[in-house]
Amino acid sequence: MDNVIWLIDDDASVRESLVFLFSGMNWRVEPFESIAAFSAAQEAGKELTGCLLLDMRMPGKGGLAWLEEGKWPWPLLPVILMTGHGTIDACRRAFHNGVFEFFTKPLDADKLIESITAALAESQRRVGVWHEAKRVKTLFEQLTSREHEVLLALMEGSSNKEVAARLNLSPRTVEAHRAAVFLKLGVSSLVQAIREYDKLQSV
């Protein structure tokens, strides 16, 4: 996955100056004049990586209002919000909605470059976590519904006998399901299985 700086700002002069600045850093830049133009250019279901540099106030839909609409569709893409009308409340709302950094205009080029460098690194970290979670998800999809039930009960701290009583199974059957789960997940202990299960939360 390529690192791209996705730039959304309705001011053409801002776009031009930032493209010039980032090109000098050998960064790939994709500029857009509006959120609608950016959204229209994206392929459905495609994960975006890199960094999104987003203007807070624009004609039509602004950046902050967009972020507050609901679940962010590109979790691998850190967002840096910029505005010429910064307020404490806007800053608070931005960070509440997961913004990576918040800048007021005129932009400090050195600090902006520093933040984008950090955001690009954060995107790559998220990509690594995401790939690992997808790998684990594939493993868990191999489990039967009964094996999943047994695993969840074991993770809650129940013994084989307690699981057997709860699911109306024999202890030997529970042990067989437990062994099958460990084999399919490629683990040798319940602790390892729990660690793998926790990775699913990143998918």
Side-chain angles (χ1 to χ4, degrees), residues 8 21 26 45 47-48 68 78 89-90 107 109 111 114 120 131 155 161 164 196:
I8 307 177
L21 174 65
N26 293 318
E47 289 291 348
L48 300 184
E68 291 179 327
D89 179 64
L107 301 169
K111 289 183 179 179
E114 182 180 324
L120 294 176
H131 278 306
M155 289 194 301
K161 288 184 178 180
E196 294 290 84

Side-chain angles (χ1 to χ4, degrees), residues 77-93:
L77 188 67
V79 178
I80 294 177
L81 200 64
M82 53 186 180
T83 180
H85 309 277
T87 64
I88 293 176
D89 179 64
C91 185
R92 179 190 60 76
R93 288 165 58 196

Side-chain angles (χ1 to χ4, degrees), residues 35-131:
I35 289 169
F38 170 82
S39 299
Q42 306 314 317
E43 297 177 28
K46 182 180 179 181
E47 289 291 348
L48 300 184
T49 60
C51 170
L52 175 61
L53 192 55
L54 176 64
D55 191 26
M56 188 177 85
R57 290 187 180 180
M58 291 179 283
K61 186 184 296 182
L64 185 54
W66 186 35
L67 293 175
E68 291 179 327
E69 283 183 349
K71 185 179 180 182
W72 182 240
W74 300 288
L76 307 183
L77 188 67
V79 178
I80 294 177
L81 200 64
M82 53 186 180
T83 180
H85 309 277
T87 64
I88 293 176
D89 179 64
C91 185
R92 179 190 60 76
R93 288 165 58 196
F95 284 112
H96 178 73
N97 284 276
V99 165
F100 185 78
E101 190 54 88
F102 186 94
F103 279 93
T104 54
K105 298 175 181 178
L107 301 169
D108 182 313
D110 290 337
K111 289 183 179 179
L112 181 60
I113 288 172
E114 182 180 324
S115 290
I116 288 178
T117 299
L120 294 176
E122 169 62 15
S123 181
Q124 289 304 302
R125 185 197 69 78
R126 294 181 187 180
V127 168
V129 171
W130 181 73
H131 278 306

